[in-house]
C-alpha cells in the first residue's frame, strides 16, 4: 500500500479522503488544511488524522494528493516534488501555463510521477466507446451547469470547458492549428459562458460550449468520423454509436437504408455499449497507484494536463 496525504479538505478534498481511506491500494496517513478550526472539525467528524504542518505531512508519505484551490496548486506540487514525492493534482493542473511547464519538467528531473485529475477520462460512458473513436473529423461538446459559487475564482474555460478540452486532445492525434473563441461575464468577474472552435492540423474541427449559468445541467459530446457517429452523455452515463455500412443486397424489412445522390446505399446500425458503472474518482486515484507500482505513464500525465491548460489559455486569450 502506498502512503498518501491530502492537501485541502474542502468539498472535493473530503471525497478524496473518503475514497483513499476505503481503497486497498492506499494507506491514508492524514491531511493538511490551512484553516485550522475547519480542519479540526473535519478530523473530529470523520476521524481522519489532521497534520498541522504541511512539511511533516509531505515527509511521512509516498504520494501527495493536491485538492486545494487552483491558486495553490503550483506551490504545493513544487514542494512535494522537490521532496521526492509523487503527486496527484486536481484539474486544472495550475493557474498559469508557465507553472504547469515547470511542474511537468520537475517530475522528470526528480524521477517521480504525476497525474492530473481530469476525471472524465474515467467516466464509464467515455471508456465504453473510447477505442471506437478513430480519427474523428468533427466534435461538438456542451458542458452546461447551474450556477455554483465554487469554481468562480477561475474563468468557465478552466472550471468546466477544460474537461472537454482534455477529452478532445486525448482522441485527436494532431496538433492545434487555430482557435477562435468568445466569452461573456454575467455574474462573475471572469467569463461565465464561452464558446470555442478549435481547428487541428489534420482538418478536425471541435466546437465547444461551456456555461455555469444554465437553467439545467448538460455534459454531452458528439464525435463524427468516417461512417460513424458516437455520442457520449457524461452526465447520464450513456453512449450511443451509429454506424453506416454498405447495405446488403436484400435488407430485411426493418433495416434503415440511406441512399446518396450517386445511388450508393448504406445501412444504419445502432449500438448502445454496455456501461460498467464505477466511481470515476476512485478509479483515477487507483490508476495512479498502478502507474507508480508498474513504472508506467499515468493515464493523464502532467504533460497532458499541461497541454490541456495551454489550449485553455489560448481560448481565454482569444476572447
Amino acid at each position: 500500500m502506498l502512503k498518501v496525504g491530502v492537501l485541502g479538505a474542502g468539498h472535493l478534498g473530503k471525497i478524496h479522503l473518503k475514497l483513499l481511506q476505503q481503497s486497498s491500494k492506499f494507506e491514508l496517513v492524514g491531511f493538511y488544511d490551512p484553516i485550522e478550526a475547519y480542519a479540526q472539525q473535519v478530523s473530529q467528524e470523520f476521524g481522519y488524522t489532521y497534520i498541522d504542518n504541511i512539511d511533516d505531512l509531505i515527509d511521512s508519505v509516498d504520494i501527495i494528493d493536491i485538492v486545494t484551490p487552483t491558486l495553490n496548486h503550483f506551490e504545493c506540487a513544487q514542494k512535494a516534488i522537490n521532496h521526492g514525492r509523487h503527486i496527484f493534482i486536481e484539474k486544472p493542473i495550475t493557474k498559469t501555463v508557465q507553472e504547469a511547464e515547470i511542474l511537468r519538467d520537475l517530475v522528470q528531473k526528480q524521477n517521480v510521477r504525476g497525474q492530473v485529475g481530469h476525471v472524465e477520462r474515467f467516466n464509464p460512458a467515455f471508456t465504453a466507446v473510447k477505442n471506437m473513436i478513430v480519427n474523428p473529423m468533427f466534435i461538438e461538446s456542451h458542458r452546461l451547469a447551474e450556477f455554483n459559487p465554487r469554481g468562480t475564482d477561475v474563468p468557465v474555460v478552466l472550471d468546466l470547458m477544460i474537461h472537454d478540452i482534455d477529452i478532445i486532445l486525448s482522441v485527436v492525434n494532431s496538433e492545434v492549428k487555430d482557435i477562435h473563441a468568445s466569452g461573456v461575464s454575467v455574474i462573475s468577474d471572469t467569463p461565465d459562458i464561452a464558446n470555442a472552435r478549435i481547428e487541428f492540423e489534420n482538418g478536425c474541427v471541435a466546437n465547444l460550449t461551456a456555461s455555469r449559468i444554465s437553467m439545467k445541467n448538460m455534459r454531452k459530446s458528439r464525435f463524427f468520423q468516417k461512417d460513424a457517429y458516437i455520442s457520449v452523455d457524461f452526465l447520464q452515463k450513456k453512449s450511443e454509436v451509429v454506424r453506416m455500412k454498405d447495405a446488403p443486397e436484400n435488407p430485411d424489412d426493418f433495416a434503415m437504408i440511406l441512399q446518396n445522390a450517386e445511388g450508393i446505399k448504406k445501412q444504419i446500425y445502432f449500438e448502445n455499449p454496455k456501461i460498467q458503472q464505477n466511481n470515476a474518482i476512485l478509479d483515477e486515484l487507483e490508476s495512479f497507484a498502478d502507474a507508480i507500482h508498474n513504472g508506467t505513464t499515468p493515464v493523464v500525465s502532467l504533460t497532458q494536463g499541461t497541454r490541456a491548460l495551454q489550449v485553455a489559455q489560448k481560448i481565454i486569450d482569444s476572447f
Side-chain angles (χ1 to χ4, degrees), residues 175-211:
E175 293 300 315
V176 172
K177 179 182 178 184
D178 204 5
I179 291 174
H180 301 277
S182 58
V184 177
S185 301
V186 180
I187 297 176
S188 317
D189 294 331
T190 58
D192 295 303
I193 184 166
N195 176 262
R197 176 185 168 93
I198 305 173
E199 298 175 15
F200 292 88
E201 296 282 359
N202 69 351
C204 176
V205 172
N207 190 43
L208 298 84
T209 300
S211 169

Side-chain angles (χ1 to χ4, degrees), residues 63 86-88 113-115 284-292 298:
I63 302 170
H86 306 290
I87 61 157
F88 184 97
R113 282 179 165 69
Q115 180 163 320
E284 68 177 353
L285 290 166
E286 292 194 335
S287 80
F288 185 45
D290 292 340
I292 292 169

